[in-house]
Amino acid sequence: MPGRTTPPAVRPHPELAAVLGQLPPRPADPYADIEAVRSGFRQLMAPLMPAHDPRVTVRETTLPGPDGNLLDVQVLRPAGAEGVLPGVLYLHGGGFAYGELDGPSPMARHACVAAGAVVVNVHYRLAPEHRYPAGVEDCYATLEWMAATADELGIDRERIAVTGASAGGNLSAALCLMARDRQGPRIAFQCLLIPCLDDRDRTASRRRIADPRIINGTGIARTWDTYLGPGRGPDTPAYAAPARATDLTGLPPAYVLTCGLDPLRDEGLEYARRLMEADVPVEVRDVPGAWHFFEAYAPESGLARRTTDHWLAALRTALN
């Protein structure tokens, strides 16, 4: 029609439009300089990392990894809380290659306070130095350690949840599959936030989200190359890409968060649908007009606060 203009590549939520307009283009291959990526993430998160958080106490320790390695973990407990509490294994995101912070992440601290839980924040091995299955096996070893030392940690081993965003959502879903198949520790709840679940480029959102200012389909393909290796083939195991699992029965109840401008949206929604078909209780939350991990770029926005409050409430309800 005369006078019509080409619509923008993405339509951000009104609360996020100004923030998106100020974002510079991301590198075509964000993993080409992995140390720069790791440093840049720490700089992004620095304003959200207070020197001291009076809401929680933090204890640092190490535990044996699956390959003779040592894993650094941080154990968070609500300040002043006594007795036995539910437990949360928090698995950070960052494309399996970055995302570690010097202190417990804001998400780990929020989960600790909101759920009234003991949260274990693990520093699993990162790609590309340590590709699959190093990271997920580190996380599984941490889950086993939580269950084995539950009395010492003050954790109710019948109320242990796993949660994480992006790659952390992948690892959380993978741990549920592993614990079921290996008859390992009982997981009471899986809280999958903007999860990266499928190494196959087969969804509409992966193709549609191409804006270079935000994580897009091309960037997700680079993520999988980094995690699995550039020679990855068609036989990726389900513990690496949970969307490939053919049987989702017997898995823990789930919460799945997706965002409308996230290339991972469709695979998250599809995984939620398949969990439902397997008679797994699922709550789904989609945030229209928001991009992958938008909360870090607009932490003071009402949308970020409402989104965070929603998944924290789901975690709290599931564990209490």
Side-chain angles (χ1 to χ4, degrees):
M1 293 178 58
R4 288 190 64 176
T5 58
T6 302
V10 297
R11 295 182 181 274
H13 189 281
E15 294 183 42
L16 305 179
V19 176
L20 179 61
Q22 296 175 358
L23 294 182
R26 296 169 57 85
D29 182 358
Y31 302 94
D33 186 342
I34 193 63
E35 292 305 324
V37 170
R38 290 168 180 167
S39 175
F41 183 78
R42 286 192 173 94
Q43 292 177 23
L44 173 67
M45 297 301 292
L48 306 179
M49 297 288 292
H52 173 64
D53 188 339
R55 303 176 303 165
V56 300
T57 62
V58 181
R59 177 170 68 90
E60 297 188 354
T61 187
T62 59
L63 60 104
D67 299 321
N69 55 312
L70 287 177
L71 293 171
D72 294 327
V73 300
Q74 294 157 338
V75 181
L76 291 72
R77 190 176 180 90
E82 299 180 355
V84 177
L85 303 176
V88 176
L89 176 53
Y90 172 77
L91 308 172
H92 70 76
F96 310 100
Y98 62 97
E100 284 191 354
L101 298 170
D102 295 331
S105 80
M107 296 176 74
R109 290 186 275 111
H110 293 336
C112 176
V113 175
V118 175
V119 174
V120 174
N121 180 76
V122 58
H123 295 270
Y124 56 86
R125 286 173 291 176
L126 301 176
E129 297 91 339
H130 303 282
R131 291 194 164 108
Y132 173 84
V136 70
E137 292 291 353
D138 284 352
C139 295
Y140 189 78
T142 307
L143 174 66
E144 290 188 310
W145 174 80
M146 284 182 69
T149 61
D151 293 341
E152 175 188 340
L153 296 172
I155 290 176
D156 179 353
R157 59 174 52 86
E158 294 300 312
R159 291 189 293 158
I160 295 177
V162 292
T163 190
S166 194
N170 169 298
L171 295 167
S172 297
L175 285 198
C176 293
L177 293 168
M178 296 168 77
R180 179 197 64 182
D181 297 346
R182 298 177 181 181
Q183 297 183 325
R186 178 180 181 272
I187 298 175
F189 188 65
Q190 52 180 323
C191 190
L192 312 180
L193 310 174
I194 52 173
C196 180
L197 299 169
D198 199 340
D199 62 309
R200 299 162 292 186
D201 183 7
R202 63 191 189 95
T203 65
S205 63
R206 282 278 292 271
R207 295 186 294 271
R208 180 175 60 87
I209 304 302
D211 192 309
R213 297 171 295 178
I214 59 178
I215 290 177
N216 51 47
T218 300
I220 296 300
R222 296 286 187 266
T223 294
W224 285 109
D225 289 343
T226 303
Y227 186 42
L228 302 177
R232 58 190 174 95
D235 55 350
T236 302
Y239 296 161
R244 288 184 176 265
T246 57
D247 179 12
L248 300 183
T249 59
L251 293 176
Y255 175 94
V256 180
L257 173 70
T258 61
C259 288
L261 302 184
D262 188 344
L264 303 178
R265 184 196 64 175
D266 291 356
E267 63 200 66
L269 295 176
E270 181 181 0
Y271 196 72
R273 177 187 60 78
R274 291 184 57 219
L275 286 169
M276 294 176 192
E277 290 178 349
D279 291 328
V280 175
V282 183
E283 181 177 358
V284 179
R285 172 83 163 191
D286 183 66
V287 187
W291 60 89
H292 190 85
F293 202 41
F294 78 97
E295 300 95 327
Y297 298 88
E300 299 303 321
S301 67
L303 188 64
R305 293 178 183 274
R306 294 191 299 274
T307 300
T308 299
D309 288 346
H310 197 271
W311 73 260
L312 289 173
L315 182 64
R316 178 174 60 249
T317 300
L319 291 176
N320 294 284

